[in-house]
Every structure is written in structure tokens, then in C-alpha cells.
Amino acid sequence: MSAPSGPARALLRDGPRVINVGLETFAADLAARDVPALHVGWRPPAGGDAATARRLAALDDARVAPTIRAANEAVLATLTAAHPVLVDCRPAREVMGLEERVVLHAGPPLAWGRACPTMQAAVLCAIRYEGWAPDDEAARALVERGEITLAPCHGRGAVGPMTGLITASMPVFVVENRAAGNRAFATINEGLGAVLRFGANDERVIHRLEWLATEAGPVLGAALRAGGPVDLRALMSQALRMGDEMHQRNIGASALLTRRLMPAIARATPDAGVIARLAEFIGGNDQFFLNLAMAAGKAITDPCVGHAGSTLVVTMARNGTDFGIRVAGLGDRWLTAPVNTPIGLYFAGFGPEDANPDIGDSAIVETIGLGGFAMAAAPAVAGFVGAGGLREAIALTEEMAEIVVGEHPHFRIPTLDDRGAPVGIDVRRVVETGITPLINTGIAGRRPGVGQIGAGTVRAPLACFEAAVAALAETLGAPR
């Protein structure tokens, strides 16, 4: 019998070195036997679905791949070069040209009959607030007769958190993208708890909206016009270094904005009572900046819509019924699927059975690389939404990096050695890997009038991205 060869002797002496591909349980079994193993989390492209895999391969064909690559580079450059600044706050009828008896809502287009009860309750409350109907019964009749127009915020250059409602008299922040010259709009954040965006609909909600329209909005607008623009890109970059991710945690950003605005507010009105009320309102709302982060995201992404050939996502939004995305290369077309329900932590007295399906335009924040994509910058958020601690937060950001095409040069994450936040969601990578975008979110109560009941995370449904891949393959004439 011949002596063992050199490699065989090494194997007998040192033991095997194993690379495990696919099922992680094999690696776990080896580890239990003290056998070192490197696990590779491979999975078949498109989850093994042959038709979807063929579409992905077609988009990678040499006849279309250069077009896609060039388009994606251009869109990524537009996303990362955008420079949003806050310039004004005025009623939606003035700066958006929003007509009477129009109610803008979050998410993709939605017929009244398909709207969840939380969305319906908020719409009826907004109609009462505007004085178009004296009560919910009369408001519902107006909607059902077609005398109220429901339309997505995104179609009018705006975004709204949760139910996302905007009507003509509501004051909206005006955010301008200096790089592209476009503008975007969002309402003033109402605060936490029982508020319109979470479906609350009693008289307290209407009184708050009236105060925003008659006192807070006009003073904020006067302060911004007198004090000059607020550089949101610089402010958001600094807030990332202070532990914010600009979706569930906006404490740093809100504080920075307050410091910037308060001197101008004090000069905008001599009424000490008005100044005190506004200071107390802004200072007592850690999420005040959220709506501005959303408007910045909208201003950043809108110039990318309609860039032929691009496979990058420029809109993610939810209306409590459907989750919708828009892709740069498909223009204004919505790709939708049934929305998921968030998983997270609940306020006392509430649980998963009380949660409304996911809702709101706030996923525009993830679309620009923040929120769930920048979880590593805000490990406190991971605990708040029930996603763990620093290690888990970093893992989530690293996971999101697998489905994007770049890193943001301005939005940098200190806990990742100052790397840029992952940005530029590519529908092809989502479908190929099966990794769907993670979104940080508040949780609204399923029952109308309850308001916010918790906070958590939610995944975008894969079906939206699969539909986008199919549509892009058809639009680009990819070989079959």
C-alpha cells in the first residue's frame, strides 16, 4: 500500500477545510462537530423560477446590458448629486395649485371601495376639516357620488406620511432640488399619537390641523422666507452622524432644524405666545423632521422618473391596501402587489392583531438610501422597532447593500468606517437575490380613530419587482 500523498497527509493532519454552499444547516452540523466551515448563502437566481430567471438573463444580454448600465449610471448620478433645500411653507392651493375637493393620499392610486378603514376614516376627517361636509355620513356620500377626487400625492409632486392626506388649505413645506430645479412638497408633521396620518378623526385632530393652517404654517413660512433656505442635504448628512436614519429616528435632524429655525421664527412675529406655542410644538416632536426628509427624498427622485433603460427604483409607497413601486425606466407606471403588515413592538394594550397593513409614502426615505437602508447609523432604532442591536443593524444595512448599485457620497455611516449609505435599488438585484427592501415604519391601528399603536419594520413584496423586471424586458425588447 503506497504512502499517502502530500495533500492527503495534510488532510489527515489538519482536517478538512469546508466551504458550505446553500443550506446553512449543513454548516451548523459541521460547527457542532468542531469542523471549521465557511458558509456561502447562495440561492438559485429568482428563487429558482425559470421564467423569471430567463427575463433576468435577457436583461443581461449583450444587446441591452450596455443601455441599462449607462442609464443606471446616469440615474445614480442624478440621485447622489441632488441638493434639496427647504425654501418655504404655504398652503397647498398656493404652491401646488391643489384644487378644492381634491384629497391627496399616500401610495399608488386607490379606489375608495378598496381603501382600508384607517384610510377611509382619515379621508372623511379631512373633508370635515375643509368644511366640505358637516359629518362623516355626508362626507362619505360626497366621495361615493364622485364629488371628491382622490389621487396619489406622488402624482402631484408631493409625499405624505402614513395616510398621507393633503387638501387645499393645508400648509406644505416647499423643498427645492438645486441641482435639477424641481420642487417637492409635504405637510407639517402633526406630532405623535392620535393624528390624521394615523387615521385618528376626532375634533382634536381637526383643531390641530386648523392651528397648523392658521398659525404654525404662516409663521414657519414667514421665517423661511426671511431667514433664507435651509440646506437639507447638509443637515441630513450631519444627523446621520448623530444617530438618525431619517425614518423612525429624527431626533438629531429635528434638533438641528429647530436650532436653525428658532431665531427666524422669533423675528417673524412679535407675539410671544405664538413663538412659545410653536417652539413647544416643534421641540416636543422628535419626528418633526420626518416630513422634510420625505420631501427631500421626493425632490431627489423625481428628476429620475422616465429615464429610459434604467432598472433603478425611484418610488416606493403604500396605501394600506397596495404596495407600489415606480422604476426610472418605466416612467409614471405603478407596479403593485398586496401590502404586508409590519412586524415590531407595540404600545401597551395593542398587539399584531390590532395592526393596519403597511401604509404611507415615507418609504421614499429608503429609496434614497436612508431609513432601513441606513440602520447601521442608528442602532437605537433597531431596538425600537424590534430588530435587535448594533450587530443586527449593521447586518441589515449590509443586506440592503446587496440590492443597490452604489453608495451615497453625502449620506455616510460612521459605524461602517464612513462608507456611504447603500443607494440605487436595482429591481434586477432584488429579484435575483430574493432580498426585498426593508422599511422602518410606524404602525397604525386597524380600527379607525385609534391612531399609532407601535413601530416596526416591513418588507416590500417581491411581486412588485418581478412585475418590473417583466415590464422592463418587454419595454427594452430584451431577447427571449
Side-chain angles (χ1 to χ4, degrees), residues 165-428:
L165 301 191
I166 303 177
T167 56
S169 71
M170 292 182 184
V172 293
F173 285 120
V174 182
V175 174
E176 183 176 291
N177 179 358
R178 283 180 169 171
N182 62 299
R183 287 186 164 190
F185 312 94
T187 52
I188 301 169
N189 191 285
E190 307 160 83
L192 301 176
V195 290
L196 184 70
R197 71 179 187 277
F198 280 105
N201 59 353
D202 60 23
E203 290 306 310
R204 294 172 301 167
V205 175
I206 291 179
H207 291 328
R208 175 71 60 84
L209 294 174
E210 290 172 342
W211 176 74
L212 290 172
T214 60
E215 183 170 292
V219 173
L220 284 167
L224 287 166
R225 292 189 293 274
V230 177
D231 188 335
L232 296 182
R233 187 177 73 182
L235 191 154
M236 292 161 74
S237 299
Q238 186 175 355
L240 271 175
R241 299 178 183 278
M242 297 169 67
D244 284 0
E245 37 72 73
M246 254 64 68
H247 197 158
Q248 274 304 308
R249 192 179 195 276
N250 280 279
I251 297 174
S254 297
L256 291 171
L257 180 68
T258 302
R259 185 176 69 174
R260 173 71 170 75
L261 285 180
M262 284 314 302
I265 289 173
R267 287 192 289 269
T269 175
D271 191 321
V274 170
I275 296 170
R277 284 190 293 274
L278 192 50
E280 185 177 27
F281 173 70
I282 297 174
N285 181 6
D286 290 342
Q287 283 287 73
F288 186 80
F289 190 81
L290 171 61
N291 295 35
L292 287 166
M294 292 172 58
K298 178 66 171 171
I300 288 168
T301 54
D302 261 5
C304 303
V305 176
H307 197 116
S310 175
T311 60
L312 301 190
V313 175
V314 291
T315 306
M316 295 194 295
R318 314 88 88 202
N319 57 30
T321 302
D322 299 317
F323 190 107
I325 67 170
R326 295 191 299 174
V327 179
L330 296 174
D332 288 326
R333 179 176 176 180
W334 285 95
L335 295 309
T336 64
V339 73
N340 294 323
T341 299
I343 298 171
L345 300 180
Y346 292 86
F347 301 157
F350 297 103
E353 68 281 0
D354 302 306
N356 198 76
D358 195 28
I359 190 169
D361 286 334
S362 55
I364 194 69
V365 173
E366 277 77 11
T367 312
I368 61 170
L370 301 176
F373 281 60
M375 196 86 94
V381 167
F384 178 65
V385 299
L390 177 58
R391 181 180 302 174
E392 290 79 8
I394 290 174
L396 287 168
T397 295
E398 296 283 12
E399 183 186 26
M400 294 301 99
E402 295 188 43
I403 59 173
V404 304
V405 297
E407 295 181 357
H408 206 292
H410 300 287
F411 300 151
R412 296 188 171 276
I413 301 176
T415 53
L416 294 179
D417 292 329
D418 220 33
R419 275 172 41 194
V423 66
I425 302 168
D426 191 332
V427 296
R428 298 172 302 168

Side-chain angles (χ1 to χ4, degrees), residues 51-57 59 311 325 327 330 335 426-432 463-476 478:
T52 305
R54 282 195 298 271
R55 294 188 188 102
L56 286 172
L59 292 175
T311 60
I325 67 170
V327 179
L330 296 174
L335 295 309
D426 191 332
V427 296
R428 298 172 302 168
R429 295 192 179 191
V430 172
V431 173
E432 181 178 5
C464 296
F465 302 88
E466 292 174 333
V469 165
L472 285 161
E474 181 179 354
T475 300
L476 291 168

